[in-house]
């Protein structure tokens, strides 16, 4: 019963992810996406697009990574990927949040989720590279469907988008090829400024 109570406490705590709103809006919508929607969408993308990974991936592991990667934002908040005042990399705040939130679980589950989160953040394994590719692709699909969305709202230009999105290539050359074309199409359509 003690184990179950810890797990239920974690489940109740992560409900807060539904209240963390991202800068990016849903595809063809004016409503901002929340972290829970983002994580679910990435899991679905991973499931559908796994065949395009550069190397075979452990799909269950990738799905776990994308489902938990933003849970730390419950404590640390969402950092906009194009924020010029705060680096969008693993911070001490996020690690502290990971330890607190995952620490609500029984020890072996806490260790597993913390290790998965750290692996995702490092982005060095095949699984993490593909998971990160999904994380970078989704907002591109959203912004391209919203006439530039947050790119225009925050003055993000082609070079910044290209520099952030080229990480997709590490997870999938095929998806990167599609991404590069989409970015260039957005420039041609005038929704992404050079």
């Amino acid at each position: 019963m003690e184990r179950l109570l810890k797990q239920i406490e974690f489940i109740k705590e992560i409900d807060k992810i539904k209240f963390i709103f991202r800068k990016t809006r849903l595809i063809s919508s004016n409503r901002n996406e929340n972290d829970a929607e983002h994580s679910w969408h990435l899991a679905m993308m991973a499931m559908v697009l796994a065949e395009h990974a550069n190397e075979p991936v452990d799909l269950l592991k990738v799905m776990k990574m994308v489902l938990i990667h933003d849970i730390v934002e419950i404590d640390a908040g969402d950092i906009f990927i194009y924020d010029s005042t705060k680096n969008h990399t693993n911070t001490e705040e996020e690690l502290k949040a990971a330890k607190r939130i995952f620490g609500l679980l029984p020890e072996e589950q806490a260790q597993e989720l913390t290790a998965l989160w750290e692996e995702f953040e490092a982005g060095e394994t095949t699984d993490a590279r593909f998971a990160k590719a999904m994380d970078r692709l989704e907002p591109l699909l959203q912004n391209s469907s919203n006439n530039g969305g947050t790119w225009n709202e925050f003055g993000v230009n082609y070079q910044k988008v290209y520099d952030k999105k080229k990480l997709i290539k590490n997870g999938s050359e095929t998806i990167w090829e599609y991404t590069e074309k989409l970015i260039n199409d957005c420039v041609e359509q005038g929704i992404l400024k050079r």
Side-chain angles (χ1 to χ4, degrees), residues 109-125:
Q109 286 183 316
Q111 289 173 355
E112 177 195 5
L113 295 191
T114 302
L116 282 168
W117 179 80
E118 289 174 332
E119 182 178 342
F120 174 85
E121 288 297 314
E124 295 172 355
T125 65

Side-chain angles (χ1 to χ4, degrees), residues 25-27 33-49 63 66-67 69 134-135 137-139 141-142:
R25 292 182 197 91
L26 299 172
I27 291 176
E33 175 182 53
N34 69 45
D35 273 353
E37 293 166 326
H38 170 65
S39 298
W40 166 82
H41 208 187
L42 297 187
M44 292 298 298
M45 289 169 60
M47 184 175 71
V48 172
L49 299 174
M63 291 176 78
V66 297
L67 286 169
H69 80 289
M134 298 299 95
D135 192 35
L137 176 62
E138 192 225 20
L141 299 175
Q142 293 165 323

Side-chain angles (χ1 to χ4, degrees), residues 25 139 142-154 156 161 186 189-192:
R25 292 182 197 91
Q142 293 165 323
N143 282 320
S144 66
S145 78
N146 288 316
N147 294 317
T150 55
W151 300 333
N152 292 328
E153 185 179 347
F154 296 99
V156 177
V161 171
C186 289
Q189 294 166 24
I191 62 175
L192 180 60

Side-chain angles (χ1 to χ4, degrees), residues 30-122:
N30 287 326
R31 184 172 74 75
N32 289 58
E33 175 182 53
N34 69 45
D35 273 353
E37 293 166 326
H38 170 65
S39 298
W40 166 82
H41 208 187
L42 297 187
M44 292 298 298
M45 289 169 60
M47 184 175 71
V48 172
L49 299 174
E51 68 187 74
H52 301 290
N54 289 337
E55 301 171 56
V57 293
D58 178 341
L59 183 56
L60 178 58
K61 189 174 182 186
V62 170
M63 291 176 78
K64 286 179 180 182
M65 281 183 190
V66 297
L67 286 169
I68 68 160
H69 80 289
D70 277 344
I71 285 177
V72 298
E73 293 182 1
I74 290 170
D75 290 357
D78 179 50
I79 301 169
F80 186 43
I81 194 166
Y82 300 109
D83 192 326
S84 57
T85 59
K86 191 164 187 178
N87 195 348
H88 191 272
T89 57
N90 183 8
T91 66
E92 285 186 34
E93 296 166 66
E94 290 176 328
L95 181 57
K96 183 178 174 185
K99 288 182 177 179
R100 183 195 73 77
I101 298 165
F102 299 141
L104 296 171
L105 286 164
E107 188 173 340
E108 79 282 356
Q109 286 183 316
Q111 289 173 355
E112 177 195 5
L113 295 191
T114 302
L116 282 168
W117 179 80
E118 289 174 332
E119 182 178 342
F120 174 85
E121 288 297 314

